[in-house]
Amino acid sequence: MHVRRPKLAVSGHARDHLPAETPAVALTRYQFTVSGEVDRGALDRLPGEWTANYSAGTTVLCGPVSGAVEMHGVLARFDEFGLDLLNLHRLETAH
C-alpha cells in the first residue's frame, strides 16, 4: 500500500530564514610523497582529480581534500594500496 505524505508548505516569513544556497566546501590541495609507484587504477579510486609524478622509487601525488574526514579516507586508501607516506604538504585552498 502506497502512503502519500503531505507536502510541507513554507510560509513567506519562514521562507525568509532559509539559506539562499548551500555554501560551497573549500577544497585544499595537498602534495603526498609515498614510497613506490602508484598505478592509474589506484589514482582513479581517490576522490577528485589527482596527478602523479614518479622519481627514484617514490611517487608525488597532488590532489584535493575537502576536510578531515576525506583526509582520513585518502590516508586509508594509501594504506590499502600498501604505500608508506613519506611526506605531506598543504599547497593551496581553492574556493
Side-chain angles (χ1 to χ4, degrees), residues 17-71:
H17 297 287
L18 295 175
E21 60 184 58
T22 304
V25 174
L27 293 176
T28 302
R29 292 189 55 78
Y30 286 89
Q31 176 181 299
F32 302 83
T33 304
V34 297
S35 61
E37 286 193 19
V38 178
D39 64 28
R40 185 76 230 164
L43 279 181
D44 290 342
R45 292 174 52 198
L46 296 172
E49 293 185 33
W50 288 72
T51 60
N53 294 303
Y54 311 102
S55 176
T58 63
T59 302
V60 176
L61 300 164
C62 294
V65 179
S66 65
V69 171
E70 191 166 280
M71 177 64 79

Side-chain angles (χ1 to χ4, degrees), residues 80-95:
E80 287 174 22
F81 302 153
L83 302 171
D84 291 324
L85 181 64
L86 303 174
N87 194 0
L88 171 61
H89 190 77
R90 183 179 178 168
L91 299 177
E92 65 195 46
T93 300
H95 299 284

